[in-house]
Structures are given as C-alpha cells and as structure tokens.
Amino acid sequence: MWTIEPRIPMGLWWALAALSAAVIVLYLLRRDWSVGRLRRWIITLMMLLGLVGPLAVTLNPVHIQPIPRPSGKPRLTVLLDGTASMTVEDADGDRGQSRWARGLELARRVDPQRDEIEVIKQVFYSDEVRTLPAAGGESNADDTVSHGHRTDLASALGSVVRNGSPLGHAIVLLSDGAHNAGTTQSVLSRAAEANSLATPVYTVTLGSEVGLKNLSVASRSPRMIAFPNQDLILRARLGHAGLAGQSTRVRLLADSDVIDQQTIQLGDDPNQSIRFTIPGGPRESLQRFRIVASGVPGEATTSDNETTIFVQRLDSPISVLLLEGKPYWDSKFLSRNLSGDPMVQLTSIVRLGNERFLQRRITPTFEASDSVALDDASDDETTTPNWQIQTELASPLEKMELLDDYRIVLLGRDADRFLTPQGIENLRQWIAKSGGCLVCARGAPSNEIATRLAEILPVRWEGQSETRFRTRVTQHGLDTALFDPLLAKGRDALASLPSLSSSAIPRLRRGLPQVLIQSVADGSGNTVPVVTYQHYGSGQTIVVEGAGMWRWAFLPPDHADKDDVYWSLWQSLIAWVISSQDFLPGQPVAIRPDRATFLAGNRVTASLLVREPSQFVAGENDLGLSVLLESADSELPQRFHPAASGLQEDFFRVDFGNLPVGIHSARVVVGESERVVAETSIEVRDPWFERLEVDARPDLMRGIARQSGGEVIDPDKIESVVERYEQRLRSSQSDRVRRTTLWDHPLALISILGAWVATWIVRRRSGLI
C-alpha cells in the first residue's frame, strides 16, 4: 500500500505543478518547430515526464508493508527473593508469617485469566536465579529458604531483564529490598536499563523495619607476629546495637582451652575496645586464638559473636642495618634499644671522621629453629657485641648480595657518604623486588637528597626554620593496630613526652603516603607528619621525623611510667614492618590465604611465595612443593600442587575449592616427604551478614518501580498486576509495518535521470539543440 506524506506544503507543490505546466504550454506555443507533429508531441511528452518525476518525489510517496508478528506471547516474570533476610517473620502482622512464606503465597496468586500472557515464576539466591518449584512438588520451596547469604538485586534484575520476550516483558519483584551487595545506585541503574528495554518492574515490598539487636566481635589484627618471651597483646572491638545496659562475658581461647575471660558492661558507645594479654607470648610457632562473647537475649545472630586471631611466632632474628653519618644521641639510643631486643640482629656503621667508621654487629645468641623458643635465654646472654674500626668504608649498599641479607635499613642523619648512585639504585631494587623496608630514622637522611632517592620517600622537606612539636597517634595509626602496646598508656601517651624538633618542614608527596603519627595541631590547625610510610613495589619506605626522640628513652622520674614508650614504639614499628613483608625472617617459603576469613560457598585460595624456586625444583616444570590441607573432621589430608601465577617466577597460586565451615591447616611440604617449610591456618565461617541487614527497604523498591516505568503494587491486590500489564500492552502495542519511501528506491532516481537523458538525445537528433 502506498500513501503520500508531502515534505513541502501542498500549496507550494500545486504552484510548482502549475508553473511546470505553464512552461510546457509556453514552450509549445512559442517554439519554432522544425520537426513533424508526431515528433513534436513525443518531445513534449518526454519533457513533461522529466518534470512530473521530481514533482512526484516531492510528494514523498511511502510504501507501507505489514510485518508479521513473531511467534510466542508477552511474558510476565514473577521474581521472588530467596535470601536469608526473607526468613524474618514480620510479613503479615500478628500472624507471624515469614516474608518467604508470604512471598510464595503472593507469587502463586499471579495467574492470567486468559491464555494470552506467559507467566514465569522464578526465585533468586545469592549467585543464581532458579525456577520457583510448584506447590506440592518434590522440591517444595515452602519449607525453607536457600543458602543465599546476600541480596544482590542488581544482578538478579539484570539476568531476568535480558531474557524477555520480543512481544513484551514485565517483572513482578517480590522482595524486602534489603540489598547489601554493592551500591543502591547499581540497582537503580539496572532498573533504568529495564526501562530502556520496555520492561516495567512492578514491586511488592515484604516486611517492615525490625529494629535490630545484635552483638559482634571483630579483631583489630586477624594475623599477627609475636616475639618469643614477650607479652602478646590481643585487641578486639566489641560492637552492639540496641543492647545498651546489658552485659556479656568475653572469653579468650587458645584452640579450645579458656585462658582468660572478663565481663563487659555494654554502654551507650556502640563500639568498645577489649584487650587480653598473654604473658610470654604464644608457645607454638603458629597458634590460633579465639575471642568469644556469650550470646545476649534478643540478638539477631550469634554467628558474629567470635573472632579469630592467628599468631605467628618469630623463630629467627630480624637483620637490621643502621647507617649514620655522624655520632648523634638519637642514633646512640636507637642502637642501644635495638641491640637490647633479642629478636634483632643489628649491624651499625657510624662515620666517626673522614676515613674512620665504627662498625658493630650484635647477634642474638639463640639459633633459628622452627620449634625452639627463647625460653632458656638469660638477660645477661642476650647479645654478643662485635665491633671494629674501619679506615675504608665497606658499605653493604654497594653490593646487592650483601644488602639481601637485611630486612630493614635504617638511615640516620648526614648519610651522604653511604648514598652513592650505586647504593641508591641497589636500595631501590632491594625495596621493590626483595620486599625490604627503608626507614629514614631522623628525618631527611641527607642535606641534598638525590632525586632517585627522593622519588621513593613519602615526604619532601621545605624551608630551613627550626620548629618544635609534640606528637600523637593518628586515626590511621589506631586503625592499623600498629601502636597497640602504646595505647596501654592512653591514646595521647605521646603528647606528654618531650617535644621533637625539625630543621625543615616535611610535606606529603603525591601518591598514597599514610601518616601513623603526627604532631599535635597548632593554633591554625596545622600538623606535621612524624611517622609516614608508603609502599614501593613489594616493600615500603618510612620516614620518622624529628630530632630529640632519644629523650623519650631517658625520661625524668615524674615520667617513669612511660619509660617503655620509646622501646615499644620501635619494636611495634619493626614488628609491623616484618608482618607486612612476604617472608618472615628465616623463611624460604611463605603461604598466605587471600582473605583473613572465608565465607561458606566462596572458593578458598592462597598465595605461595618461594624465595629461591631453584632450591625446590624436582624436575622440568615441577616446583617440588605441595600443600597438605587437613582439618579436625578430615581423616586424611588432601594434597594440592601449586600452579605458577605467570606474574613472577617465585609466585604461585593454590586453589582449595569450596571448603566446609571450620578451621583448616595448610602445610607446605617438600615433595612427597613430610618436611614442613611453611604453614598457615584457614578459617571458613558461616555467613551471617544477611541476618544483620533485615530491615525492609520500601524506598528502594519504589525507586526500582519508578526508574523502570513500573508501579508499586499493594500485596493484597497482587492479582491486579496481570490486568495492569494487559492494559499496558493494549495501549502500547500497534501493528508493526515496514515503511519505504519512493526516494529510497534506486529505480526512481534512475527513471528520472533516464527521462532527462532520453529527452536531451531526441531533441539533439531533431536539431532542436
């Protein structure tokens, strides 16, 4: 069928048609024809056709051809939330009906009155969408909700929206709206996508605001390192909601043995700090501690009433290199502090004059062992000093093989003599690739810091005026639990210590430096970073700003209660540095789970690092190491073989798959033997997050309906959703046709051009041109 849709006003078109006819008539009357009458009429007719063609195109004739409708029916998908929050029994007032049971009841009431719409009923869990079992079937869904431990409305809507019908699609969403996997915006974006695909979402909100009551325990540091024969401090956060005024008993367990307990009164503060001290530290190389709070009546779940802390004891000394350009009190007291630590093997080189260097090496008397602690070491036999005067500097920074023997390098003031171009380049490589740590122990290590060294430091120095300041631990320092031993003296224990001085003002560099300790704010609110760090490759660099810290180790009698602050500060910093490195001292192999705690249903994976892979190669492409996994319920350990990551030759991956809830021990052994070279523990817990976020979200459900072009449906009028969708289809559906304009046909253009060319040829041969 053809129809006309003029592109120009019809009045103008008729004027052009009349003008064209007048031109033809005038041409016939005034032309001195030299041809016969028949040819004259033929020429006139051809000219007329040449004008009629363009006039016909300007009328825009359109050919309309109906398109057959695709087979099938419009689809209505009923999508029911099947996650754990739907077990709350608040869906129907006093009846005590769960949201899940109410949702099933509503879903089964959605049925078309006529066989014109296809209704599909589905239920979504954490990671998948399934068909909703029919009532009375073998897998009746009336009895329970699946294992879904998180509500991902965005993912569920996305998977259903993309599986619609070409004849039309709509979704009925039955949920409490307790979305907890991603942002709210991600859900609304998915609703907007549904709108773009003409898929309205009709939402039905199940449940109400619950008013949650819950108690939780979270560790400050899920994995720690400890020094032998030194007290171990375990800290955790006790959080609660709606339980103020009640009390709970908190116990500390080593494996299953209770070693300490305390009663905590829950106050108005929703977060309280709890602290346990283990005299002498852990007795095993790797030990698991649990902090468990007893249940409180009325709380939502007891699954989060405990936390686990894995403690790795250091059984090998930490090699530390101290380089100082001149003898200073700061370096003297720092050296004395480190040399008194039985876990530090200290090498110090101090420049005494132009060609005189004092080198001291202090080695702990115990031998590294996986099973021998320092129980028998006496205070008088902790270290054995060895010193000598050198007339020619033999700096360990000049050779990588010497530098690799150390885990921490401390630079004091005026260290220019050590910072040669080769020494700086070796330092950069050692930090980035070997995972070492560079500590500038007294601000800028040189008056003129070389560019290659300045690039890896977290601060830069400005100005030359001397400033004095007192210090305090930052919030980031508190969050990292680095200075927990200091907090026994109070959060502001450092503020009462003698002030520090600086001859230049440190400023944070671009990147991601983090401040652990800063100065107390002055009258303008400005602060000075005192202890700052940043990562560089596999290692990190730290700057400790301020001269005069030695006075913290030599306090007057009225500050005798803070005598151990200086010692605790440096020991905490060194312990934190070592715990963040890939290998502990003396470790040839390290294995680390990718998470502190895994949830049931998640794949359990770990990273395996080998310091020298060539030492364990058993054959071509065979590492020669395997991982034995066992738990209390397993009869025999499972053996896993690490796979190369493809990133680094010393980096491997271990995939344990899905593990049951519980504590699992992973031991790295050499070949088929039982010789253990590394071990760790893996905790798999039952997920509880879904039970803590159970308040219904009618606001989010309204947003989904609005963004998708749907409506909010009253649960008691759920049957009307089919009629509403049918009305929407009738108002929006129209016959589909294919429209083709005359101008889109190549034959039209060819015909017009052909008429013009033919007219010109005939006139030419007739002698009229």
Side-chain angles (χ1 to χ4, degrees):
M1 181 181 67
W2 288 89
T3 184
I4 295 176
E5 298 178 0
R7 294 178 181 246
I8 61 175
M10 288 303 296
L12 176 61
W13 187 88
W14 284 111
L16 291 175
L19 180 61
S20 300
V23 169
I24 294 297
V25 172
L26 183 64
Y27 182 79
L28 287 172
L29 295 177
R30 299 182 62 86
R31 178 70 185 179
D32 184 13
W33 295 94
S34 59
V35 296
R37 179 175 295 180
L38 178 62
R39 179 166 289 196
R40 181 190 310 170
W41 285 106
I42 293 174
I43 293 173
T44 302
L45 182 60
M46 294 178 69
M47 292 177 63
L48 183 61
L49 290 174
L51 289 174
V52 169
L55 286 173
V57 171
T58 58
L59 286 174
N60 192 32
V62 180
H63 182 253
I64 299 177
Q65 180 182 6
I67 299 176
R69 292 174 60 86
S71 60
K73 302 176 183 179
R75 179 175 299 169
L76 180 65
T77 300
V78 180
L79 186 61
L80 175 61
D81 186 347
T83 55
S85 63
M86 295 289 287
T87 59
V88 178
E89 297 179 350
D90 67 341
D92 199 11
D94 297 334
R95 288 175 55 190
Q97 188 179 27
S98 70
R99 300 173 184 178
W100 171 251
R102 178 63 169 164
L104 280 172
E105 175 188 321
L106 296 177
R108 288 167 180 162
R109 286 165 55 184
V110 179
D111 283 309
Q113 299 298 321
R114 297 178 297 276
D115 191 23
E116 297 178 358
I117 296 179
E118 178 188 15
V119 176
I120 295 178
K121 299 179 181 180
Q122 296 178 317
V123 56
F124 71 89
Y125 302 114
S126 296
D127 303 310
E128 60 182 332
V129 177
R130 305 178 192 168
T131 301
L132 183 68
E138 293 183 2
S139 57
N140 193 353
D142 285 313
D143 300 330
T144 183
V145 181
S146 182
H147 59 275
H149 58 269
R150 61 190 178 94
T151 304
D152 191 348
L153 290 175
S155 176
L157 283 175
S159 63
V160 175
V161 164
R162 299 186 184 97
N163 293 318
S165 168
L167 294 176
H169 188 207
I171 300 172
V172 180
L173 178 61
L174 303 169
S175 173
D176 53 15
H179 173 75
N180 54 27
T183 63
T184 299
Q185 186 58 42
S186 65
V187 182
L188 299 180
S189 297
R190 207 55 95 211
E193 179 185 347
N195 193 5
S196 67
L197 296 175
T199 305
V201 181
Y202 300 93
T203 60
V204 179
T205 305
L206 303 172
S208 58
E209 185 175 349
V210 175
L212 181 72
K213 293 182 179 181
N214 193 63
L215 182 70
S216 63
V217 181
S219 62
R220 293 286 302 274
S221 300
R223 294 184 180 272
M224 299 176 60
I225 66 169
F227 296 98
N229 290 339
Q230 294 183 15
D231 293 351
L232 173 64
I233 298 176
L234 302 179
R235 288 182 178 271
R237 178 188 60 81
L238 183 66
H240 73 89
L243 297 175
Q246 301 193 45
S247 62
T248 182
R249 174 159 299 196
V250 182
R251 295 171 297 156
L252 175 65
L253 294 87
D255 295 324
S256 58
D257 299 328
V258 178
I259 59 176
D260 197 2
Q261 58 183 343
Q262 51 186 282
T263 300
I264 304 296
Q265 188 73 24
L266 302 177
D268 295 332
D269 187 353
N271 293 295
Q272 297 176 232
S273 178
I274 52 178
R275 176 175 180 265
F276 289 98
T277 301
I278 302 176
R283 296 303 175 186
E284 299 177 9
S285 179
L286 178 66
Q287 194 162 4
R288 168 178 172 255
F289 295 94
R290 290 190 300 146
I291 299 177
V292 182
S294 58
V296 178
E299 65 173 316
T301 178
T302 58
S303 298
D304 58 341
N305 282 25
E306 70 174 83
T307 187
T308 301
I309 302 175
F310 295 101
V311 179
Q312 178 81 50
R313 190 186 63 202
L314 287 184
D315 291 325
S316 295
I318 305 168
S319 299
V320 178
L321 174 63
L322 172 62
L323 302 176
E324 185 81 39
K326 291 181 181 178
Y328 287 102
W329 282 106
D330 281 304
S331 59
K332 179 180 178 63
F333 277 86
L334 177 58
S335 177
R336 189 184 73 170
N337 176 76
L338 296 178
S339 63
D341 193 327
M343 289 306 300
V344 172
Q345 178 176 286
L346 176 65
T347 300
S348 66
I349 303 177
V350 180
R351 184 169 178 261
L352 302 177
N354 289 335
E355 297 300 332
R356 296 183 70 235
F357 300 89
L358 173 62
Q359 176 173 327
R360 301 178 66 217
R361 183 179 181 87
I362 303 174
T363 305
T365 56
F366 77 95
E367 295 182 358
S369 171
D370 290 338
S371 58
V372 178
L374 301 180
D375 298 331
D376 300 329
S378 65
D379 294 339
D380 297 334
E381 298 176 348
T382 301
T383 59
T384 304
N386 183 12
W387 63 274
Q388 60 179 332
I389 298 294
Q390 298 179 355
T391 58
E392 182 177 351
L393 176 62
S395 174
L397 303 185
E398 297 298 317
K399 296 182 179 180
M400 280 296 296
E401 55 269 24
L402 297 178
L403 188 56
D404 281 337
D405 292 337
Y406 300 97
R407 302 312 306 149
I408 300 175
V409 172
L410 296 167
L411 292 180
R413 287 286 300 168
D414 303 317
D416 309 72
R417 184 70 173 82
F418 304 96
L419 298 176
T420 63
Q422 183 61 48
I424 293 174
E425 185 60 29
N426 287 343
L427 267 177
R428 291 172 61 102
Q429 296 294 325
W430 173 72
I431 298 170
K433 296 182 178 180
S434 300
C437 178
L438 172 65
V439 181
C440 297
R442 194 183 162 205
S446 170
N447 292 327
E448 296 293 336
I449 301 178
T451 303
R452 295 287 288 171
L453 179 61
E455 290 174 351
I456 66 175
L457 297 180
V459 301
R460 53 186 171 83
W461 288 268
E462 298 177 349
Q464 296 296 327
S465 59
E466 182 176 356
T467 57
R468 302 196 68 84
F469 48 83
R470 297 183 184 275
T471 60
R472 64 188 301 271
V473 179
T474 65
Q475 185 61 47
H476 181 71
L478 295 174
D479 293 339
T480 57
L482 193 163
F483 301 112
D484 273 351
L486 295 178
L487 300 182
K489 309 295 183 181
R491 177 170 178 175
D492 296 326
L494 301 182
S496 60
L497 296 179
S499 63
L500 305 179
S501 65
S502 176
S503 59
I505 300 176
R507 303 295 186 192
L508 296 180
R509 289 186 179 273
R510 292 182 178 179
L512 297 174
Q514 298 289 342
V515 181
L516 300 172
I517 297 179
Q518 66 184 16
S519 66
V520 177
D522 58 18
S524 303
N526 299 320
T527 60
V528 175
V530 178
V531 178
T532 314
Y533 80 95
Q534 74 175 8
H535 293 286
Y536 180 71
S538 300
Q540 55 191 331
T541 58
I542 302 175
V543 171
V544 180
E545 183 62 36
M549 192 177 288
W550 65 271
R551 293 186 295 166
W552 294 6
F554 197 68
L555 295 174
D558 55 340
H559 285 83
D561 59 326
K562 297 184 177 64
D563 277 341
D564 59 346
V565 167
Y566 181 81
W567 180 83
S568 296
L569 172 67
W570 281 103
Q571 188 185 54
S572 299
L573 186 63
I574 290 175
W576 177 72
V577 168
I578 295 301
S579 65
S580 64
Q581 292 182 346
D582 292 335
F583 298 94
L584 295 180
Q587 270 192 325
V589 177
I591 181 170
R592 293 192 176 186
D594 292 339
R595 298 182 185 178
T597 303
F598 292 88
L599 298 180
N602 292 341
R603 295 192 70 84
V604 178
T605 54
S607 299
L608 182 69
L609 297 100
V610 184
R611 191 184 295 274
E612 294 292 341
S614 59
Q615 296 181 359
F616 301 99
V617 173
E620 186 177 359
N621 298 325
D622 186 5
L623 177 61
L625 295 174
S626 57
V627 182
L628 298 180
L629 183 74
E630 57 184 344
S631 61
D633 299 332
S634 61
E635 296 181 2
L636 295 174
Q638 294 177 272
R639 187 179 294 270
F640 296 86
H641 295 280
S645 65
L647 301 176
Q648 299 173 214
E649 63 177 6
D650 59 350
F651 184 68
F652 300 85
R653 301 286 295 162
V654 185
D655 187 349
F656 299 106
N658 294 325
L659 298 179
V661 174
I663 302 297
H664 306 267
S665 174
R667 295 179 289 115
V668 183
V669 298
V670 179
E672 299 298 326
S673 69
E674 296 298 324
R675 184 166 71 91
V676 179
V677 292
E679 63 179 323
T680 189
S681 290
I682 299 171
E683 182 179 14
V684 180
R685 302 187 67 177
D686 182 34
W688 66 89
F689 307 115
E690 181 79 11
R691 303 170 195 166
L692 302 182
E693 300 179 13
V694 294
D695 286 343
R697 293 283 307 276
D699 57 326
L700 179 58
M701 299 290 279
R702 281 195 301 270
I704 294 172
R706 183 175 60 254
Q707 289 288 342
S708 65
E711 302 177 51
V712 176
I713 304 297
D714 188 328
D716 295 331
K717 300 178 180 179
I718 189 67
E719 294 90 347
S720 67
V721 70
V722 177
E723 182 180 353
R724 291 170 185 263
Y725 182 46
E726 289 177 343
Q727 292 177 354
R728 184 187 184 98
L729 289 175
R730 285 193 291 268
S731 62
S732 62
Q733 284 183 348
S734 59
D735 293 334
R736 301 178 62 193
V737 296
R738 183 180 294 108
R739 301 166 56 86
T740 307
T741 61
L742 180 62
W743 186 252
D744 291 332
H745 285 281
L747 185 60
L749 179 61
I750 294 173
S751 299
I752 294 173
L753 293 177
W756 290 351
V757 171
T759 302
W760 183 86
I761 292 174
V762 172
R763 294 180 64 203
R764 176 79 176 180
R765 290 184 177 180
S766 301
L768 300 179
I769 297 179

